[in-house]
């Protein structure tokens, strides 16, 4: 049997790029031949396969925002690439990659595995936009589309709300390689930050999805009980629309000494900060399956998180952390205070986080499932 060729179509964001990088590096390169179709802004980024060979890349003017002219151009260029490269399967990532791939597939008969990485309609602030984005997904699911969800929550939502038939919906959990735990007794030596030893942390760009404003309100309440409480927020960067609002809230509540805000840094440095933190906090409104929490599981961290898609697949209440409803500020305050002081509970959660990681989110085990899904749906002779 010859190798099958898989074309990945995507508009790269941090989570999607991590997904693709880890999948390519761990997949059997003697079975799967991957190519990447993505944005011109990604030129210079190299993706390697399991043998260390660079993956072939093609560039189109893809972007997150809707732009009819550019989107039509992307579809046309994608069709040209597909007809030249003749892949056996498309793996489309996120909303824009899914739209372009599924329309292009009508002109080149091929199955499209669509991984939403959190459905786009979940990000809509207004009911009108939510209905529009959901309607688009419901239509496009009929265009050679097979759902490949990143979490049980995403799989369920795809079947119940988007309308995928169960036989056309599959699960491949976001997965990572096991991370090395850093000695908690040492300082964050490789970084030029002065935050105290007993800090908590989170990773997420200030945005509607990540709801960092809620964290500010939580820390304001916790400060009355733990004056030195310190939250390290990593992930501020170019696509951080709520950064200024978060900074204004911090200033309004006189919490400058209780927060450290860090722009995008190397993943290894993020791991070091998470590893040495007391525990991890998430206030997201929705997720696909967040790598930051999977990484925290591997680093043996207790988690306090909102009970939303993605988070609820990674946090089992009272097993490896606490799962709380959005905007329940008093409960978040109580659980942060409890985990901050209760070493026994925190250590139990840490142990269970790692057990959960090994059971469900270790890519060295899970990648074989993705290969089987590719083989099953590829159209090749």
């Amino acid at each position: 049997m010859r190798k099958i060729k898989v074309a990945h179509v995507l508009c790269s964001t941090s989570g999607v790029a991590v997904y693709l990088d880890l999948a390519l590096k761990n997949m059997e390169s003697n079975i799967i031949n991957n190519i990447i179709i993505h944005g011109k802004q990604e030129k210079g980024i190299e993706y390697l396969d399991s043998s260390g060979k660079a993956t072939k890349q093609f560039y189109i003017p893809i972007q997150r925002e809707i732009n009819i002219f550019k989107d039509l151009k992307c579809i046309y260029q994608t069709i040209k690439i597909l007809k030249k490269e003749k892949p056996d399967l498309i793996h489309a990532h996120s909303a824009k990659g899914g739209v372009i791939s599924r329309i292009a597939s009508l002109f080149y008969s091929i199955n499209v595995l669509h991984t939403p990485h959190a459905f786009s309609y979940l990000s809509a602030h207004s009911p009108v936009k939510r209905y529009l984005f959901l309607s688009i997904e419901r239509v496009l699911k009929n265009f050679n589309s097979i759902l490949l969800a990143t979490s049980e929550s995403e799989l369920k939502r795809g079947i119940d709300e988007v309308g995928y038939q169960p036989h056309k919906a599959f699960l491949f959990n976001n997965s990572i390689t096991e991370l090395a735990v850093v000695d908690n007794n040492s300082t964050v030596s490789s970084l030029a930050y002065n935050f105290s030893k007993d800090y908590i942390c989170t990773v997420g760009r200030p945005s509607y999805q990540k709801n960092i404003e809620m964290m500010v309100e939580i820390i304001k309440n916790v400060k009355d009980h733990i004056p030195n409480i310190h939250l390290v927020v990593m992930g501020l960067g170019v696509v951080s629309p709520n950064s200024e609002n978060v900074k204004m809230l911090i200033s309004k509540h006189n919490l400058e000494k209780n927060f450290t805000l860090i722009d995008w840094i190397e993943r290894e440095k993020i791991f070091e900060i998470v590893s040495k933190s007391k525990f991890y906090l998430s206030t997201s409104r929705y997720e696909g399956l967040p790598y930051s929490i999977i990484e925290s599981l591997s680093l043996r961290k207790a988690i306090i998180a909102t009970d939303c898609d993605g988070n609820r697949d990674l946090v089992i209440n009272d097993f490896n952390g606490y799962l709380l409803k959005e905007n329940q500020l008093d409960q978040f305050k109580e659980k942060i205070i409890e985990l901050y002081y209760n070493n026994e509970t925190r250590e139990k959660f840490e142990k269970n986080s790692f057990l959960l990681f090994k059971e469900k989110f270790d890519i060295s085990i899970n990648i074989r499932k993705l290969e089987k899904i590719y083989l099953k749906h590829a159209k090749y002779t």
Side-chain angles (χ1 to χ4, degrees), residues 319-332:
F319 176 77
N320 67 318
Y322 295 116
L323 210 54
L324 306 171
K325 297 297 181 184
E326 183 185 338
N327 291 323
Q328 291 188 333
L329 301 184
D330 286 342
Q331 287 198 25
F332 269 89

Side-chain angles (χ1 to χ4, degrees), residues 64 94-96 99 102 114 116-125 129-130 132-137 154 157 162 208 286:
R64 289 166 62 95
S94 294
K96 187 58 73 73
V99 170
R102 288 178 287 184
H114 181 217
H117 299 278
F119 283 105
S120 60
Y121 65 86
L122 296 174
S123 68
H125 295 216
K129 274 191 174 181
R130 183 184 175 97
L132 174 63
F133 292 164
L134 177 55
S135 297
I136 291 171
E137 285 293 339
E154 191 167 79
R157 196 175 287 276
V162 179
Y208 174 79
Y286 66 92

Side-chain angles (χ1 to χ4, degrees), residues 40-56:
K40 294 179 179 179
Q41 67 273 16
E42 304 303 318
K43 283 188 176 179
I45 298 176
E46 193 172 57
Y47 287 91
L48 304 178
D49 67 17
S50 58
S51 70
K53 183 180 176 182
T55 303
K56 193 174 184 179

Side-chain angles (χ1 to χ4, degrees), residues 14-15 18 200-207 209-212 215 231-236 260 262-267 269-275 277 279-284 287 290-296 299 311:
S14 57
V18 171
I200 62 178
C201 72
T202 192
V203 180
R205 60 191 178 90
S207 60
Q209 176 188 0
K210 300 298 182 180
N211 199 10
I212 306 298
M215 289 191 186
L231 174 62
V232 178
V233 182
M234 295 168 277
L236 281 77
T260 297
I262 301 177
D263 289 340
W264 283 113
I265 54 177
E266 294 89 343
R267 291 182 74 225
K269 291 181 180 179
I270 292 175
F271 301 156
E272 183 180 1
I273 292 173
V274 174
S275 186
S277 68
F279 52 88
Y280 189 91
L281 178 66
S282 169
T283 53
S284 292
E287 292 282 0
Y291 278 106
S292 57
I293 296 186
I294 300 173
E295 290 155 359
S296 298
L299 292 169
N311 284 357

Side-chain angles (χ1 to χ4, degrees), residues 103-159:
I103 294 175
S105 76
L106 298 178
F107 300 88
Y108 179 83
S109 183
I110 190 171
N111 283 331
V112 179
L113 290 173
H114 181 217
T115 299
H117 299 278
F119 283 105
S120 60
Y121 65 86
L122 296 174
S123 68
H125 295 216
S126 72
V128 174
K129 274 191 174 181
R130 183 184 175 97
Y131 178 77
L132 174 63
F133 292 164
L134 177 55
S135 297
I136 291 171
E137 285 293 339
R138 285 173 172 168
V139 170
L140 290 177
K141 81 174 190 301
N142 301 307
F143 291 17
N144 301 313
S145 188
I146 299 162
L147 177 65
L148 182 56
T150 60
S151 69
E152 292 281 1
S153 296
E154 191 167 79
L155 182 70
K156 186 176 187 301
R157 196 175 287 276
I159 293 170

